[in-house]
Short mmCIF file of all heavy atoms in Angstrom, two decimals:
data_model
loop_
_atom_site.label_atom_id
_atom_site.label_comp_id
_atom_site.label_asym_id
_atom_site.label_seq_id
_atom_site.Cartn_x
_atom_site.Cartn_y
_atom_site.Cartn_z
N MET A 1 -4.07 -4.17 -10.82
CA MET A 1 -3.36 -4.19 -9.58
C MET A 1 -1.91 -4.58 -9.79
O MET A 1 -1.55 -5.17 -10.76
CB MET A 1 -4.00 -5.28 -8.71
CG MET A 1 -3.86 -4.97 -7.20
SD MET A 1 -4.83 -6.14 -6.20
CE MET A 1 -3.66 -7.45 -5.96
N ALA A 2 -1.05 -4.17 -8.85
CA ALA A 2 0.39 -4.54 -8.90
C ALA A 2 0.95 -4.63 -7.49
O ALA A 2 0.27 -4.10 -6.62
CB ALA A 2 1.16 -3.53 -9.74
N TYR A 3 1.99 -5.24 -7.32
CA TYR A 3 2.64 -5.24 -6.06
C TYR A 3 3.42 -3.88 -5.85
O TYR A 3 3.82 -3.31 -6.84
CB TYR A 3 3.61 -6.44 -5.92
CG TYR A 3 2.95 -7.71 -5.44
CD1 TYR A 3 1.89 -8.26 -6.25
CD2 TYR A 3 3.20 -8.39 -4.32
CE1 TYR A 3 1.23 -9.42 -5.89
CE2 TYR A 3 2.61 -9.51 -3.92
CZ TYR A 3 1.56 -10.03 -4.69
OH TYR A 3 0.89 -11.15 -4.29
N VAL A 4 3.59 -3.55 -4.58
CA VAL A 4 4.22 -2.26 -4.28
C VAL A 4 5.26 -2.42 -3.22
O VAL A 4 5.08 -3.26 -2.26
CB VAL A 4 3.06 -1.21 -3.78
CG1 VAL A 4 3.78 0.11 -3.32
CG2 VAL A 4 2.12 -0.91 -4.87
N ILE A 5 6.38 -1.71 -3.30
CA ILE A 5 7.40 -1.80 -2.30
C ILE A 5 7.28 -0.57 -1.40
O ILE A 5 7.24 0.57 -1.84
CB ILE A 5 8.80 -1.77 -3.06
CG1 ILE A 5 8.93 -3.01 -3.93
CG2 ILE A 5 9.96 -1.77 -2.00
CD1 ILE A 5 10.15 -3.04 -4.74
N ASN A 6 7.30 -0.79 -0.05
CA ASN A 6 7.18 0.30 0.82
C ASN A 6 8.51 0.68 1.48
O ASN A 6 9.53 0.19 1.16
CB ASN A 6 6.14 -0.07 1.93
CG ASN A 6 6.55 -1.24 2.86
OD1 ASN A 6 7.71 -1.42 3.11
ND2 ASN A 6 5.56 -1.92 3.42
N ASP A 7 8.44 1.60 2.50
CA ASP A 7 9.60 2.23 3.13
C ASP A 7 10.43 1.20 3.91
O ASP A 7 11.50 1.56 4.34
CB ASP A 7 9.18 3.34 4.10
CG ASP A 7 8.63 4.53 3.34
OD1 ASP A 7 8.81 4.60 2.13
OD2 ASP A 7 8.16 5.48 3.96
N ASP A 8 9.96 0.04 4.10
CA ASP A 8 10.74 -1.02 4.80
C ASP A 8 11.80 -1.57 3.98
O ASP A 8 12.72 -2.33 4.40
CB ASP A 8 9.80 -2.17 5.30
CG ASP A 8 8.92 -1.66 6.38
OD1 ASP A 8 9.24 -0.75 7.13
OD2 ASP A 8 7.83 -2.29 6.54
N CYS A 9 11.84 -1.21 2.65
CA CYS A 9 12.87 -1.70 1.72
C CYS A 9 14.30 -1.31 2.24
O CYS A 9 14.51 -0.08 2.51
CB CYS A 9 12.65 -1.16 0.35
SG CYS A 9 13.94 -1.56 -0.79
N ILE A 10 15.20 -2.19 2.31
CA ILE A 10 16.62 -1.90 2.71
C ILE A 10 17.53 -1.92 1.54
O ILE A 10 18.74 -1.97 1.63
CB ILE A 10 17.07 -2.88 3.75
CG1 ILE A 10 16.97 -4.32 3.39
CG2 ILE A 10 16.27 -2.61 5.12
CD1 ILE A 10 17.62 -5.34 4.32
N ALA A 11 16.95 -1.96 0.29
CA ALA A 11 17.72 -1.91 -0.89
C ALA A 11 18.75 -3.08 -0.95
O ALA A 11 19.84 -2.91 -1.44
CB ALA A 11 18.39 -0.60 -1.12
N CYS A 12 18.36 -4.27 -0.54
CA CYS A 12 19.30 -5.39 -0.56
C CYS A 12 19.51 -5.95 -1.91
O CYS A 12 20.48 -6.63 -2.22
CB CYS A 12 18.74 -6.49 0.35
SG CYS A 12 17.24 -7.35 -0.31
N GLY A 13 18.55 -5.77 -2.83
CA GLY A 13 18.66 -6.14 -4.22
C GLY A 13 18.19 -7.55 -4.47
O GLY A 13 18.35 -8.09 -5.62
N SER A 14 17.72 -8.27 -3.46
CA SER A 14 17.33 -9.65 -3.69
C SER A 14 16.17 -9.84 -4.66
O SER A 14 16.14 -10.80 -5.36
CB SER A 14 16.90 -10.26 -2.31
OG SER A 14 17.96 -10.32 -1.46
N CYS A 15 15.24 -8.84 -4.69
CA CYS A 15 14.07 -9.04 -5.46
C CYS A 15 14.30 -8.88 -6.97
O CYS A 15 13.64 -9.48 -7.76
CB CYS A 15 12.97 -8.06 -5.02
SG CYS A 15 13.53 -6.31 -5.03
N ILE A 16 15.24 -8.07 -7.30
CA ILE A 16 15.32 -7.59 -8.79
C ILE A 16 15.57 -8.74 -9.75
O ILE A 16 15.01 -8.74 -10.81
CB ILE A 16 16.35 -6.44 -8.87
CG1 ILE A 16 16.14 -5.68 -10.20
CG2 ILE A 16 17.83 -6.96 -8.70
CD1 ILE A 16 16.76 -4.30 -10.15
N ASP A 17 16.36 -9.67 -9.31
CA ASP A 17 16.68 -10.78 -10.21
C ASP A 17 15.60 -11.87 -10.21
O ASP A 17 15.61 -12.75 -11.03
CB ASP A 17 18.00 -11.45 -9.86
CG ASP A 17 19.22 -10.51 -10.24
OD1 ASP A 17 19.07 -9.70 -11.12
OD2 ASP A 17 20.22 -10.65 -9.53
N GLU A 18 14.73 -11.82 -9.22
CA GLU A 18 13.65 -12.83 -9.08
C GLU A 18 12.43 -12.49 -9.95
O GLU A 18 11.57 -13.39 -10.23
CB GLU A 18 13.22 -12.95 -7.63
CG GLU A 18 14.35 -13.36 -6.70
CD GLU A 18 14.80 -14.81 -6.96
OE1 GLU A 18 13.98 -15.57 -7.41
OE2 GLU A 18 16.01 -15.10 -6.76
N CYS A 19 12.27 -11.24 -10.40
CA CYS A 19 11.08 -10.85 -11.15
C CYS A 19 11.14 -11.44 -12.59
O CYS A 19 12.03 -11.08 -13.26
CB CYS A 19 10.93 -9.35 -11.14
SG CYS A 19 9.51 -8.81 -12.13
N PRO A 20 10.18 -12.22 -12.95
CA PRO A 20 10.21 -12.82 -14.38
C PRO A 20 9.98 -11.81 -15.43
O PRO A 20 10.30 -12.13 -16.54
CB PRO A 20 9.13 -13.87 -14.20
CG PRO A 20 8.20 -13.43 -13.15
CD PRO A 20 9.07 -12.71 -12.16
N VAL A 21 9.44 -10.69 -15.13
CA VAL A 21 9.15 -9.69 -16.21
C VAL A 21 9.97 -8.39 -16.00
O VAL A 21 9.63 -7.42 -16.72
CB VAL A 21 7.66 -9.39 -16.20
CG1 VAL A 21 6.80 -10.60 -16.63
CG2 VAL A 21 7.13 -8.84 -14.92
N GLU A 22 10.96 -8.43 -15.14
CA GLU A 22 11.88 -7.32 -14.97
C GLU A 22 11.13 -6.02 -14.65
O GLU A 22 11.40 -4.92 -15.21
CB GLU A 22 12.81 -7.18 -16.19
CG GLU A 22 13.67 -8.34 -16.38
CD GLU A 22 14.70 -8.21 -17.46
OE1 GLU A 22 14.78 -7.11 -18.14
OE2 GLU A 22 15.43 -9.19 -17.80
N ALA A 23 10.11 -6.12 -13.81
CA ALA A 23 9.35 -4.93 -13.36
C ALA A 23 9.97 -4.09 -12.29
O ALA A 23 9.51 -2.99 -12.00
CB ALA A 23 7.96 -5.40 -12.93
N ILE A 24 11.06 -4.58 -11.69
CA ILE A 24 11.63 -3.91 -10.48
C ILE A 24 12.90 -3.14 -10.87
O ILE A 24 13.68 -3.56 -11.66
CB ILE A 24 12.02 -4.94 -9.44
CG1 ILE A 24 10.75 -5.79 -9.02
CG2 ILE A 24 12.62 -4.29 -8.23
CD1 ILE A 24 11.02 -6.92 -8.09
N SER A 25 12.95 -1.90 -10.33
CA SER A 25 14.01 -0.97 -10.60
C SER A 25 14.74 -0.70 -9.27
O SER A 25 14.16 -0.55 -8.18
CB SER A 25 13.55 0.36 -11.13
OG SER A 25 12.87 0.17 -12.36
N GLU A 26 16.10 -0.47 -9.38
CA GLU A 26 16.92 -0.12 -8.22
C GLU A 26 16.62 1.31 -7.78
O GLU A 26 16.19 2.11 -8.49
CB GLU A 26 18.42 -0.22 -8.59
CG GLU A 26 18.87 -1.72 -8.86
CD GLU A 26 20.37 -1.67 -9.22
OE1 GLU A 26 21.21 -0.98 -8.58
OE2 GLU A 26 20.69 -2.36 -10.19
N GLY A 27 17.03 1.60 -6.52
CA GLY A 27 16.98 2.88 -5.99
C GLY A 27 17.27 2.87 -4.50
O GLY A 27 17.54 1.82 -3.92
N ASP A 28 17.12 3.97 -3.83
CA ASP A 28 17.24 4.04 -2.34
C ASP A 28 16.17 3.08 -1.74
O ASP A 28 16.45 2.44 -0.76
CB ASP A 28 17.08 5.52 -1.86
CG ASP A 28 18.31 6.33 -2.20
OD1 ASP A 28 19.34 5.86 -2.49
OD2 ASP A 28 18.11 7.57 -2.24
N ILE A 29 14.98 3.16 -2.38
CA ILE A 29 13.97 2.23 -2.15
C ILE A 29 13.59 1.67 -3.48
O ILE A 29 13.42 2.46 -4.48
CB ILE A 29 12.68 2.82 -1.44
CG1 ILE A 29 13.04 3.26 -0.08
CG2 ILE A 29 11.53 1.88 -1.56
CD1 ILE A 29 11.91 4.12 0.56
N TYR A 30 13.65 0.31 -3.64
CA TYR A 30 13.34 -0.23 -4.95
C TYR A 30 11.92 0.03 -5.35
O TYR A 30 11.05 0.21 -4.46
CB TYR A 30 13.64 -1.76 -4.92
CG TYR A 30 15.17 -2.08 -5.12
CD1 TYR A 30 16.09 -1.35 -4.46
CD2 TYR A 30 15.50 -3.09 -5.99
CE1 TYR A 30 17.43 -1.59 -4.54
CE2 TYR A 30 16.87 -3.39 -6.17
CZ TYR A 30 17.83 -2.68 -5.47
OH TYR A 30 19.12 -2.94 -5.63
N THR A 31 11.61 0.03 -6.62
CA THR A 31 10.25 0.30 -7.12
C THR A 31 9.81 -0.72 -8.12
O THR A 31 10.66 -1.35 -8.84
CB THR A 31 10.13 1.72 -7.76
OG1 THR A 31 11.17 1.84 -8.79
CG2 THR A 31 10.41 2.83 -6.69
N ILE A 32 8.47 -0.86 -8.21
CA ILE A 32 7.90 -1.81 -9.21
C ILE A 32 7.06 -1.01 -10.16
O ILE A 32 6.21 -0.20 -9.79
CB ILE A 32 6.98 -2.82 -8.43
CG1 ILE A 32 7.80 -3.70 -7.54
CG2 ILE A 32 6.15 -3.65 -9.40
CD1 ILE A 32 7.04 -4.61 -6.62
N ASP A 33 7.21 -1.25 -11.40
CA ASP A 33 6.47 -0.64 -12.50
C ASP A 33 5.09 -1.31 -12.55
O ASP A 33 5.00 -2.52 -12.93
CB ASP A 33 7.21 -0.77 -13.81
CG ASP A 33 6.44 -0.02 -14.96
OD1 ASP A 33 5.25 0.31 -14.81
OD2 ASP A 33 7.09 0.24 -15.99
N PRO A 34 4.03 -0.63 -12.18
CA PRO A 34 2.71 -1.32 -12.17
C PRO A 34 2.21 -1.62 -13.58
O PRO A 34 1.32 -2.51 -13.71
CB PRO A 34 1.75 -0.20 -11.52
CG PRO A 34 2.51 1.09 -11.80
CD PRO A 34 3.98 0.87 -11.81
N GLU A 35 2.79 -1.09 -14.57
CA GLU A 35 2.37 -1.39 -15.96
C GLU A 35 2.97 -2.74 -16.37
O GLU A 35 2.49 -3.34 -17.36
CB GLU A 35 2.89 -0.32 -16.91
CG GLU A 35 2.41 1.10 -16.58
CD GLU A 35 0.93 1.25 -17.03
OE1 GLU A 35 0.55 0.74 -18.00
OE2 GLU A 35 0.16 1.93 -16.24
N VAL A 36 3.98 -3.17 -15.73
CA VAL A 36 4.73 -4.33 -16.09
C VAL A 36 4.41 -5.55 -15.13
O VAL A 36 4.39 -6.74 -15.57
CB VAL A 36 6.23 -4.14 -16.14
CG1 VAL A 36 6.95 -5.37 -16.59
CG2 VAL A 36 6.50 -2.92 -17.11
N CYS A 37 4.27 -5.24 -13.88
CA CYS A 37 4.01 -6.30 -12.86
C CYS A 37 2.85 -7.19 -13.20
O CYS A 37 1.84 -6.70 -13.46
CB CYS A 37 3.85 -5.65 -11.47
SG CYS A 37 3.48 -6.79 -10.14
N THR A 38 3.06 -8.49 -13.05
CA THR A 38 1.94 -9.40 -13.33
C THR A 38 1.35 -10.04 -12.11
O THR A 38 0.57 -10.99 -12.15
CB THR A 38 2.42 -10.56 -14.28
OG1 THR A 38 3.54 -11.26 -13.57
CG2 THR A 38 2.95 -10.04 -15.57
N ASP A 39 1.68 -9.50 -10.97
CA ASP A 39 1.11 -9.89 -9.69
C ASP A 39 1.44 -11.33 -9.28
O ASP A 39 0.68 -12.03 -8.65
CB ASP A 39 -0.43 -9.84 -9.72
CG ASP A 39 -0.90 -8.40 -9.51
OD1 ASP A 39 -0.22 -7.58 -8.88
OD2 ASP A 39 -2.07 -8.10 -10.00
N CYS A 40 2.61 -11.76 -9.70
CA CYS A 40 2.99 -13.19 -9.47
C CYS A 40 3.30 -13.44 -7.94
O CYS A 40 3.16 -14.52 -7.50
CB CYS A 40 4.18 -13.63 -10.33
SG CYS A 40 5.73 -12.93 -9.88
N GLY A 41 3.79 -12.44 -7.30
CA GLY A 41 4.09 -12.51 -5.84
C GLY A 41 5.48 -13.07 -5.50
O GLY A 41 5.79 -13.17 -4.31
N THR A 42 6.23 -13.39 -6.47
CA THR A 42 7.56 -14.02 -6.21
C THR A 42 8.38 -13.07 -5.36
O THR A 42 9.04 -13.50 -4.42
CB THR A 42 8.22 -14.35 -7.58
OG1 THR A 42 7.46 -15.17 -8.32
CG2 THR A 42 9.65 -15.00 -7.25
N CYS A 43 8.46 -11.84 -5.77
CA CYS A 43 9.30 -10.90 -5.01
C CYS A 43 8.92 -10.71 -3.55
O CYS A 43 9.75 -10.61 -2.69
CB CYS A 43 9.28 -9.52 -5.72
SG CYS A 43 7.64 -8.79 -5.90
N ALA A 44 7.60 -10.70 -3.33
CA ALA A 44 7.12 -10.58 -1.98
C ALA A 44 7.52 -11.73 -1.07
O ALA A 44 7.90 -11.61 0.10
CB ALA A 44 5.64 -10.44 -1.93
N ASP A 45 7.55 -12.92 -1.69
CA ASP A 45 8.00 -14.15 -0.96
C ASP A 45 9.45 -14.11 -0.48
O ASP A 45 9.82 -14.67 0.54
CB ASP A 45 7.71 -15.36 -1.78
CG ASP A 45 6.27 -15.65 -1.95
OD1 ASP A 45 5.41 -15.17 -1.17
OD2 ASP A 45 5.90 -16.43 -2.88
N ILE A 46 10.30 -13.47 -1.32
CA ILE A 46 11.72 -13.47 -0.96
C ILE A 46 12.29 -12.26 -0.21
O ILE A 46 13.32 -12.25 0.30
CB ILE A 46 12.59 -13.77 -2.19
CG1 ILE A 46 12.38 -12.73 -3.30
CG2 ILE A 46 12.21 -15.19 -2.76
CD1 ILE A 46 13.36 -11.57 -3.23
N CYS A 47 11.46 -11.22 -0.19
CA CYS A 47 11.95 -9.94 0.45
C CYS A 47 12.23 -10.19 2.02
O CYS A 47 11.33 -10.55 2.65
CB CYS A 47 10.94 -8.86 0.29
SG CYS A 47 11.46 -7.33 1.11
N PRO A 48 13.47 -9.92 2.40
CA PRO A 48 13.84 -10.24 3.80
C PRO A 48 13.22 -9.18 4.78
O PRO A 48 13.08 -9.39 5.97
CB PRO A 48 15.33 -10.12 3.86
CG PRO A 48 15.63 -9.24 2.68
CD PRO A 48 14.68 -9.55 1.66
N SER A 49 12.72 -8.00 4.27
CA SER A 49 12.13 -6.99 5.06
C SER A 49 10.65 -6.96 5.02
O SER A 49 9.98 -6.14 5.64
CB SER A 49 12.62 -5.62 4.59
OG SER A 49 14.07 -5.50 4.80
N GLU A 50 10.09 -7.93 4.22
CA GLU A 50 8.64 -7.94 4.03
C GLU A 50 8.04 -6.61 3.61
O GLU A 50 7.12 -6.10 4.12
CB GLU A 50 7.90 -8.47 5.30
CG GLU A 50 8.34 -9.88 5.67
CD GLU A 50 7.54 -10.46 6.89
OE1 GLU A 50 6.70 -9.76 7.42
OE2 GLU A 50 7.88 -11.61 7.28
N ALA A 51 8.86 -6.00 2.70
CA ALA A 51 8.56 -4.59 2.19
C ALA A 51 7.61 -4.65 0.96
O ALA A 51 7.24 -3.58 0.52
CB ALA A 51 9.78 -3.89 1.90
N ILE A 52 7.28 -5.79 0.41
CA ILE A 52 6.53 -5.88 -0.83
C ILE A 52 5.18 -6.50 -0.50
O ILE A 52 5.07 -7.60 0.00
CB ILE A 52 7.25 -6.72 -1.92
CG1 ILE A 52 8.73 -6.26 -2.02
CG2 ILE A 52 6.52 -6.59 -3.25
CD1 ILE A 52 9.57 -7.13 -3.00
N HIS A 53 4.11 -5.76 -0.98
CA HIS A 53 2.73 -6.21 -0.71
C HIS A 53 1.85 -5.91 -1.92
O HIS A 53 2.18 -5.00 -2.71
CB HIS A 53 2.19 -5.52 0.51
CG HIS A 53 2.98 -5.84 1.76
ND1 HIS A 53 2.79 -7.02 2.54
CD2 HIS A 53 3.98 -5.15 2.39
CE1 HIS A 53 3.63 -6.97 3.55
NE2 HIS A 53 4.35 -5.86 3.49
N PRO A 54 0.76 -6.65 -2.12
CA PRO A 54 -0.19 -6.29 -3.12
C PRO A 54 -0.78 -4.86 -2.84
O PRO A 54 -1.04 -4.54 -1.68
CB PRO A 54 -1.29 -7.32 -3.01
CG PRO A 54 -0.77 -8.44 -2.13
CD PRO A 54 0.35 -7.82 -1.29
N ALA A 55 -0.94 -4.06 -3.86
CA ALA A 55 -1.48 -2.68 -3.73
C ALA A 55 -2.94 -2.80 -3.33
O ALA A 55 -3.61 -3.73 -3.69
CB ALA A 55 -1.24 -1.93 -4.95
FE1 SF4 B 101 13.99 -3.95 -0.99
FE2 SF4 B 101 12.91 -6.28 -0.31
FE3 SF4 B 101 13.70 -5.87 -2.79
FE4 SF4 B 101 15.46 -6.14 -0.81
S1 SF4 B 101 14.01 -7.70 -1.60
S2 SF4 B 101 15.57 -4.56 -2.50
S3 SF4 B 101 14.44 -5.10 0.90
S4 SF4 B 101 12.01 -4.71 -1.72
FE1 SF4 B 102 7.77 -8.95 -10.63
FE2 SF4 B 102 6.01 -10.74 -9.66
FE3 SF4 B 102 7.08 -9.00 -8.04
FE4 SF4 B 102 5.33 -8.19 -9.90
S1 SF4 B 102 4.88 -9.55 -8.16
S2 SF4 B 102 7.27 -7.16 -9.35
S3 SF4 B 102 5.86 -9.60 -11.59
S4 SF4 B 102 8.15 -10.64 -9.11
#
């Protein structure tokens, strides 16, 4: 399992520096690499758009 970023992402960039394993990539909508994500939930807690949820 991994966390997933949905269409509510506003590309604010807040999550990318919070990920301890650098699983998040920039884009029009940011994305999480499921092979790298450790399900820690840190990014979901800080996302202002509540765009990040467990898959
Ligand atoms: Fe997108 Fe949320 Fe990350 Fe901001 S914190 S880039 S809105 S997923
Ligand atoms: Fe990174 Fe944790 Fe978010 Fe996974 S849940 S992308 S490991 S901050």
Side-chain angles (χ1 to χ4, degrees):
M1 209 172 87
Y3 277 61
V4 175
I5 300 175
N6 67 28
D7 289 350
D8 291 333
C9 174
I10 56 171
C12 72
S14 299
C15 56
I16 198 162
D17 290 332
E18 298 295 330
C19 179
V21 293
E22 299 184 3
I24 302 175
S25 299
E26 290 179 46
D28 292 338
I29 293 172
Y30 279 44
T31 53
I32 294 172
D33 184 341
E35 302 284 323
V36 179
C37 175
T38 59
D39 283 333
C40 71
T42 304
C43 57
D45 289 341
I46 59 91
C47 177
S49 297
E50 298 184 1
I52 311 177
H53 299 279

